[in-house]
Amino acid sequence: PAKVVTGVCRFSYANLWEAKAMDENSKPKYSVSLIIPKSDTKTIEKVKAAIQAAYDEGKSKLSNGKSVPSLNSIKTPLRDGDIDRPDDEAYANRYFINANSIIAPGIVDADRQPILTHSEVYSGIYGRASITSRSSVTVIHLEGTAVQKKISLMMRISLTNY
């Protein structure tokens, strides 16, 4: 797994205090959308490197000789707000990552002291996040057999007060 500590980014759709399930068939997860300015090239490069590492790890797990689609042909966690959310001004000129975990994230302040008051961390607040990319491999059957690599992100959130 590859760990990335982001620069300052905006937290959106923050479900950090209580795990929520997308539907009745899915596991409850803690989640947040991390909105990263495109100008933060240092964070973007670290995220891309973590995605590449997770891809390579997943690809190496496949010892059955099946072909794996290129990284460029699969959907990765790093998304372009100008393309994927063109009508939402909050995502303009920004990338975003939808991070989630079944384990409650650790939430701390700038002094790394735990934040326990829910009203201190909310959607729209700015902070830093520590995210870990891990690979999982899912086999999908299409006209014959193809293998698709899926990348998931687990998260630990650190809040920086401003």
Side-chain angles (χ1 to χ4, degrees), residues 8-162:
V8 175
C9 60
R10 188 174 185 187
F11 295 7
S12 184
Y13 301 101
N15 295 307
L16 302 172
W17 299 108
E18 182 180 329
K20 295 185 180 179
M22 295 296 284
D23 57 46
E24 66 274 355
N25 296 324
S26 59
K27 287 183 180 180
K29 294 181 181 181
Y30 299 89
S31 61
V32 65
S33 182
L34 303 171
I35 304 174
I36 306 164
K38 287 184 176 178
S39 61
D40 186 356
T41 56
K42 185 176 178 183
T43 295
I44 300 307
E45 289 307 312
K46 289 192 296 184
V47 168
K48 287 179 177 179
I51 290 169
Q52 181 68 53
Y55 176 81
D56 293 343
E57 177 189 346
K59 189 174 178 180
S60 72
K61 290 178 183 178
L62 295 172
S63 60
N64 57 6
K66 306 245 184 215
S67 66
V68 177
S70 71
L71 181 58
N72 293 334
S73 68
I74 63 175
K75 186 176 178 180
T76 68
L78 183 64
R79 314 256 302 278
D80 189 326
D82 294 321
I83 295 170
D84 293 328
R85 304 252 172 107
D87 298 331
D88 190 336
E89 192 60 34
Y91 290 82
N93 202 30
R94 289 168 172 63
Y95 288 106
F96 68 98
I97 298 170
N98 293 325
N100 62 70
S101 176
I102 57 173
I103 301 167
I107 304 173
V108 297
D109 64 17
D111 296 320
R112 297 188 180 176
Q113 297 302 307
I115 295 176
L116 304 175
T117 306
H118 292 203
S119 62
E120 291 184 46
V121 182
Y122 50 87
S123 292
I125 199 166
Y126 287 83
R128 299 179 190 272
S130 173
I131 53 178
T132 304
S133 63
R134 297 181 183 274
S135 65
S136 60
V137 178
T138 305
V139 176
I140 298 176
H141 297 282
L142 306 167
E143 295 181 29
T145 304
V147 177
Q148 180 176 345
K149 162 106 177 27
K150 218 176 158 183
I151 300 170
S152 59
L153 289 177
M154 299 191 60
M155 66 177 179
R156 175 171 162 62
I157 303 300
S158 298
L159 176 69
T160 302
N161 291 339
Y162 285 92

